[in-house]
Amino acid sequence: MPAATRLGMVPDLGRWSAALSTILLLGAAPAPETPPHHPAKSGIDYASDDVRRMQADDFANPGMLWVAQGGKRWQEPAGNSGKSCAACHGDAAKAMKGVAARYPGVDAATSELLNLEGRINRCRKDQQAAEPLAYESEDLLALTAYVAHQSRGQPLQVSVDAAARPYFARGREIYYRRQGQMNLACTHCHEQNVGRKLLADTISEGHGNAYPIYRLEWQSAGSLHRRLRACYFGVRAEMPAAGSAELLDLELYLAWRARGLPVETPGVRR
Amino acid sequence: MAEAIVSVPATARRGEIIELKALVRHPMETGFRYTQRGERVPRNIVTQFVCSYDGAEILRATLHPAITANPLLVFNAVATVSGEIEFRWTGDNGFSVSEIATIVVN
């Protein structure tokens, strides 16, 4: 067995030549609308028992620290308006239930694609007259975790209607685009080698239903974009900035792939 | 930042063994690491944890480097009287956080 295959990084050549000849026969092969591994299986199902137990217990799950922090930020007035999130939205447990399951989504007013972080910053700008929070800052992570936590257990169901289609198509393209010095696309690990080992980790289907997560490697909470950047780094590709259009498009496509999976925020991963 | 989450049962029977959980947010920087420029990252850890039940100390822990970031402590106590259970963490750089939970014992 060649070393690369043993590492679980690259599918073997036989499969590739078969795929190649199929493409040659059919011309540009249209990719299947429904990806493999459907219905989707959450990343937590690929995690070890330790990690699963940690996520399941709200007092052992360090991500709850960020959720608790977000609960405080929710009540605090911000910006020149002097309004808090709660001043408009009231009780987050009611007002925010199910919201995270619908993000990222296209903002009706501006036709822009917004994820939860983007929506929170949009609200700060338009409603609170406050400065946007920096991506990956503790406050934005905390608020995002708090809002997403209100949807825990709700199935993901992003809209990929006409307004979202261009973003979705770009996200899909990124998913299947080879990149970096390793010349790998998302699909090579997260579709073609799911369940196999990458060093000490089991490769999951790469769903974003638990974000923001507490990642043991980071010893901190982090956003989906931070995790995606880590994947870009892993294949030695140029990393797009957190919050960039590229990662937003990819986030929408990933959310569609993960449709039906329950929101787990705050997830725990290795 | 909100620094801690504690778990204490709201009610208990007298004499019952209860489980207390205390999670604190802290980087627990060991002081053994160096930056890429060769400078030592200064130690920044929680050095002491104290739990008091109705004013009396029931658990004291001295923490050292090489304990996880955001440490979780889980321990047991016997429910004796209704009252406040206080959790206090202190550490380097003047770190001090406390949380109070109340328990009703009947």
Side-chain angles (χ1 to χ4, degrees), chain A residues 17-29:
Chain A
S17 50
L20 203 63
S21 48
T22 315
I23 291 167
L24 291 176
L25 281 173
L26 298 176

PDB file of all heavy atoms in Angstrom, chain A residues 17-29:
ATOM      1  N   SER A  17      -8.532   6.549 -11.710  1.00  0.00           N
ATOM      2  CA  SER A  17      -8.583   6.325 -13.147  1.00  0.00           C
ATOM      3  C   SER A  17      -9.988   5.920 -13.561  1.00  0.00           C
ATOM      4  O   SER A  17     -10.456   6.296 -14.636  1.00  0.00           O
ATOM      5  CB  SER A  17      -7.540   5.286 -13.565  1.00  0.00           C
ATOM      6  OG  SER A  17      -7.656   4.149 -12.741  1.00  0.00           O
ATOM      7  N   ALA A  18     -10.689   5.197 -12.671  1.00  0.00           N
ATOM      8  CA  ALA A  18     -12.075   4.852 -12.976  1.00  0.00           C
ATOM      9  C   ALA A  18     -12.917   6.111 -13.079  1.00  0.00           C
ATOM     10  O   ALA A  18     -13.693   6.289 -14.021  1.00  0.00           O
ATOM     11  CB  ALA A  18     -12.629   3.923 -11.894  1.00  0.00           C
ATOM     12  N   ALA A  19     -12.723   7.010 -12.099  1.00  0.00           N
ATOM     13  CA  ALA A  19     -13.486   8.254 -12.110  1.00  0.00           C
ATOM     14  C   ALA A  19     -13.164   9.063 -13.352  1.00  0.00           C
ATOM     15  O   ALA A  19     -14.038   9.624 -14.000  1.00  0.00           O
ATOM     16  CB  ALA A  19     -13.173   9.067 -10.857  1.00  0.00           C
ATOM     17  N   LEU A  20     -11.873   9.056 -13.702  1.00  0.00           N
ATOM     18  CA  LEU A  20     -11.424   9.830 -14.848  1.00  0.00           C
ATOM     19  C   LEU A  20     -12.067   9.318 -16.126  1.00  0.00           C
ATOM     20  O   LEU A  20     -12.561  10.094 -16.947  1.00  0.00           O
ATOM     21  CB  LEU A  20      -9.898   9.732 -14.930  1.00  0.00           C
ATOM     22  CG  LEU A  20      -9.202  10.860 -15.681  1.00  0.00           C
ATOM     23  CD1 LEU A  20      -9.435  12.182 -14.954  1.00  0.00           C
ATOM     24  CD2 LEU A  20      -7.713  10.581 -15.782  1.00  0.00           C
ATOM     25  N   SER A  21     -12.098   8.002 -16.281  1.00  0.00           N
ATOM     26  CA  SER A  21     -12.665   7.473 -17.515  1.00  0.00           C
ATOM     27  C   SER A  21     -14.160   7.749 -17.575  1.00  0.00           C
ATOM     28  O   SER A  21     -14.712   7.989 -18.635  1.00  0.00           O
ATOM     29  CB  SER A  21     -12.369   5.979 -17.655  1.00  0.00           C
ATOM     30  OG  SER A  21     -12.682   5.323 -16.464  1.00  0.00           O
ATOM     31  N   THR A  22     -14.822   7.747 -16.408  1.00  0.00           N
ATOM     32  CA  THR A  22     -16.245   8.090 -16.399  1.00  0.00           C
ATOM     33  C   THR A  22     -16.435   9.505 -16.901  1.00  0.00           C
ATOM     34  O   THR A  22     -17.320   9.790 -17.705  1.00  0.00           O
ATOM     35  CB  THR A  22     -16.812   7.990 -14.956  1.00  0.00           C
ATOM     36  OG1 THR A  22     -16.338   6.793 -14.394  1.00  0.00           O
ATOM     37  CG2 THR A  22     -18.315   8.014 -14.969  1.00  0.00           C
ATOM     38  N   ILE A  23     -15.569  10.397 -16.412  1.00  0.00           N
ATOM     39  CA  ILE A  23     -15.677  11.793 -16.827  1.00  0.00           C
ATOM     40  C   ILE A  23     -15.449  11.905 -18.332  1.00  0.00           C
ATOM     41  O   ILE A  23     -16.166  12.604 -19.038  1.00  0.00           O
ATOM     42  CB  ILE A  23     -14.678  12.672 -16.040  1.00  0.00           C
ATOM     43  CG1 ILE A  23     -15.120  12.754 -14.588  1.00  0.00           C
ATOM     44  CG2 ILE A  23     -14.582  14.058 -16.639  1.00  0.00           C
ATOM     45  CD1 ILE A  23     -14.093  13.321 -13.650  1.00  0.00           C
ATOM     46  N   LEU A  24     -14.463  11.158 -18.832  1.00  0.00           N
ATOM     47  CA  LEU A  24     -14.167  11.213 -20.267  1.00  0.00           C
ATOM     48  C   LEU A  24     -15.347  10.714 -21.079  1.00  0.00           C
ATOM     49  O   LEU A  24     -15.675  11.254 -22.134  1.00  0.00           O
ATOM     50  CB  LEU A  24     -12.912  10.388 -20.581  1.00  0.00           C
ATOM     51  CG  LEU A  24     -11.606  10.988 -20.040  1.00  0.00           C
ATOM     52  CD1 LEU A  24     -10.437  10.060 -20.310  1.00  0.00           C
ATOM     53  CD2 LEU A  24     -11.363  12.364 -20.659  1.00  0.00           C
ATOM     54  N   LEU A  25     -16.007   9.667 -20.568  1.00  0.00           N
ATOM     55  CA  LEU A  25     -17.133   9.096 -21.302  1.00  0.00           C
ATOM     56  C   LEU A  25     -18.321  10.049 -21.325  1.00  0.00           C
ATOM     57  O   LEU A  25     -18.988  10.219 -22.329  1.00  0.00           O
ATOM     58  CB  LEU A  25     -17.566   7.776 -20.653  1.00  0.00           C
ATOM     59  CG  LEU A  25     -16.704   6.569 -21.007  1.00  0.00           C
ATOM     60  CD1 LEU A  25     -17.123   5.369 -20.184  1.00  0.00           C
ATOM     61  CD2 LEU A  25     -16.811   6.275 -22.505  1.00  0.00           C
ATOM     62  N   LEU A  26     -18.573  10.668 -20.183  1.00  0.00           N
ATOM     63  CA  LEU A  26     -19.785  11.471 -20.066  1.00  0.00           C
ATOM     64  C   LEU A  26     -19.555  12.930 -20.410  1.00  0.00           C
ATOM     65  O   LEU A  26     -20.468  13.723 -20.397  1.00  0.00           O
ATOM     66  CB  LEU A  26     -20.328  11.392 -18.627  1.00  0.00           C
ATOM     67  CG  LEU A  26     -20.734  10.000 -18.143  1.00  0.00           C
ATOM     68  CD1 LEU A  26     -21.142  10.056 -16.693  1.00  0.00           C
ATOM     69  CD2 LEU A  26     -21.872   9.451 -19.004  1.00  0.00           C
ATOM     70  N   GLY A  27     -18.310  13.284 -20.678  1.00  0.00           N
ATOM     71  CA  GLY A  27     -18.008  14.705 -20.802  1.00  0.00           C
ATOM     72  C   GLY A  27     -17.923  15.270 -19.409  1.00  0.00           C
ATOM     73  O   GLY A  27     -17.561  14.583 -18.478  1.00  0.00           O
ATOM     74  N   ALA A  28     -18.278  16.552 -19.228  1.00  0.00           N
ATOM     75  CA  ALA A  28     -18.236  17.160 -17.898  1.00  0.00           C
ATOM     76  C   ALA A  28     -19.323  16.529 -17.047  1.00  0.00           C
ATOM     77  O   ALA A  28     -20.503  16.777 -17.240  1.00  0.00           O
ATOM     78  CB  ALA A  28     -18.448  18.661 -18.000  1.00  0.00           C
ATOM     79  N   ALA A  29     -18.905  15.650 -16.135  1.00  0.00           N
ATOM     80  CA  ALA A  29     -19.888  14.918 -15.334  1.00  0.00           C
ATOM     81  C   ALA A  29     -20.555  15.842 -14.342  1.00  0.00           C
ATOM     82  O   ALA A  29     -19.857  16.502 -13.582  1.00  0.00           O
ATOM     83  CB  ALA A  29     -19.193  13.778 -14.597  1.00  0.00           C
TER      84      ALA A  29
END
